[in-house]
Amino acid sequence: MNDANTPGSRIIGLGHHQPARIMTNDDLAAIVDTNDEWIRTRTGIRTRHIASEADTVTSMAIEAGRAAIADAGIDPAEIDQVFVASTSATDRAPYTAGRVAVALGLTAGPAPIDINTACSGFEYALALADQSIRLGSATTSLVIASEKISGLVDWTDRSTCVLIGDAAGAAVVQRSDTAEIGPVSWGSVPHLLEAVLVDGDPQRFSQEGRSIYRWAITEAEGHARRVVEKAGMTMEEIQVLAFHQANLRIIEPLAKALGGDTKFVITDVQESGNTSAASVPLGLSKAWAAGELPEGVPALLFGFGGGFAHAGQVVRTPVRRG
Ligand code: ACO
């Protein structure tokens, strides 16, 4: 047996990628019966980035991964594990993580792992990367979430097409002498198994918006508090809140219930729409790139959605290299 003696891991770099095309609420009003006021008051969304045909889950994952590696300032040959979380990936074999590893010239031949737990996929992948490093199966992981949900929506259905956006977000996670990624708290909600669907032929995204909203308003706070308890911390110590960016009408009350008035709260849904698994790393990376993300402080990550899976962990935000 390998004696697992690696204390833990930490995030040393962040990156993201969004397609060039920005779609406003007025742009949507030109194709379906909707309007800016309805979308903003129900969801908080003002704009979203929408992929062109050339933008794929894989191409966006490559760009986000490249940016995270540059941000971390490491030799790509150090990466011995690549995760890609996605619910919209179409490649079966080679799968997305394998294609990303080759495209990025990761010459160590890293373990390529695709996972799909929909909107909470990044938090699942981050947990598995941390556990792999703790157990000695990897030293440096590239953890990416990439989504092209625009390819899965019915653009004549106003109840879904106004909600989504395309993007990828990524983090480089490395072995550390101190544990800067806390234990994951994860699970699922059996009665909501089919509340968010990607099914049919052609495959289409649909959801029971009200059931999800009700769960998020009544149950998500308890799950988020359990994440912090698992990390052995108090909510007062948490300085950043990064929830799945489904809807501002969920993010704001959840943040308020958790003392968000004195914390940095990610609200990127307003600019990027709901990008499923990509939403948490995208929001973190955008704030990091803008110089707004507090450095070296405890951040609560919490994802939930399709499946109906949820997962979260407390991580220490990166610190800029000198
Ligand atoms: N523009 C204008 N009117 C609309 C639109 C639109 N884009 N979409 C729906 N409507 C209309 C409906 O037709 C309905 O009209 P009616 O009363 O005449 O029948 C009315 O608005 C209300 O429709 P609901 O679907 O009941 O709208 P609701 O108030 O529930 O808001 C929303 C929908 C925003 C999705 C809400 O349910 C919600 O916030 N849900 C949370 C779930 C979520 O954010 N999911 C994201 C994807 S899944 C995930 O990431 C976990």
Side-chain angles (χ1 to χ4, degrees):
M1 291 282 281
N2 172 33
D3 63 329
N5 58 3
T6 297
S9 70
R10 64 192 175 110
I11 295 176
I12 59 166
L14 291 167
H16 66 274
H17 179 78
Q18 292 181 284
R21 181 177 172 208
I22 297 175
M23 204 173 195
T24 65
N25 293 342
D26 288 339
D27 293 335
L28 279 160
I31 58 172
V32 286
D33 181 15
T34 189
N35 57 76
D36 177 58
E37 208 256 335
W38 192 97
I39 301 172
R40 267 191 299 108
T41 53
R42 303 286 174 121
T43 72
I45 300 169
R46 295 194 299 254
T47 58
R48 69 287 287 147
H49 291 243
I50 298 296
S52 68
E53 266 192 38
D55 300 309
T56 63
V57 168
T58 304
S59 72
M60 292 189 287
I62 291 166
E63 293 311 319
R66 196 191 312 281
I69 294 169
D71 186 49
I74 57 163
D75 179 350
E78 290 177 50
I79 294 171
D80 49 12
Q81 189 178 56
V82 178
F83 284 93
V84 176
S86 181
T87 191
S88 49
T90 49
D91 292 343
R92 296 287 174 261
Y95 27 81
T96 312
R99 288 193 190 278
V100 169
V102 170
L104 290 176
L106 306 186
T107 50
I113 307 165
D114 279 11
I115 78 161
N116 171 20
T117 52
C119 308
S120 56
F122 179 76
E123 292 71 30
Y124 275 83
L126 188 63
L128 295 171
D130 173 58
Q131 291 172 8
S132 297
I133 292 171
R134 286 176 192 256
L135 288 169
S137 303
T139 60
T140 309
S141 292
L142 178 59
V143 183
I144 305 171
S146 182
E147 298 279 21
K148 184 175 174 176
I149 307 290
S150 65
L152 295 171
V153 293
D154 175 353
W155 285 96
T156 65
D157 176 6
R158 68 179 182 174
S159 71
T160 52
C161 73
V162 303
L163 303 173
I164 61 92
D166 299 323
V172 176
V173 177
Q174 196 164 55
R175 184 190 184 286
S176 161
D177 291 337
T178 52
E180 307 295 5
I181 296 181
V184 68
S185 176
W186 55 14
S188 57
V189 185
H191 77 273
L192 291 178
L193 177 69
E194 309 222 352
V196 184
L197 295 174
V198 177
D199 66 355
D201 183 15
Q203 298 227 308
R204 287 285 171 255
F205 159 68
S206 62
Q207 62 155 359
E208 292 168 27
R210 295 234 160 159
S211 316
I212 302 163
Y213 182 73
R214 207 173 307 118
W215 178 87
I217 292 301
T218 57
E219 305 294 328
E221 180 190 342
H223 288 290
R225 288 192 181 279
R226 265 193 289 289
V227 174
V228 176
E229 275 163 31
K230 251 196 157 149
M233 301 181 82
T234 64
M235 197 56 79
E236 287 67 38
E237 293 174 271
I238 301 296
Q239 295 189 38
V240 175
L241 298 176
F243 309 131
H244 169 48
Q245 301 287 297
N247 190 320
L248 197 62
R249 279 202 316 161
I250 294 172
I251 295 164
E252 285 186 336
L254 186 54
K256 190 156 194 279
L258 299 174
D261 291 351
T262 58
K263 306 184 196 301
F264 182 84
V265 183
I266 303 281
T267 57
D268 180 54
V269 66
Q270 298 173 96
E271 287 175 23
S272 303
N274 180 346
T275 59
S276 186
S279 80
V280 168
L282 173 70
L284 287 171
S285 178
K286 284 177 70 177
W288 175 243
E292 292 166 359
L293 188 69
E295 290 183 42
V297 301
L300 167 59
L301 316 190
F302 182 63
F304 60 91
F308 194 98
H310 55 80
Q313 57 270 97
V314 175
V315 306
R316 191 168 295 280
T317 56
V319 177
R320 261 173 233 291
R321 287 175 286 129

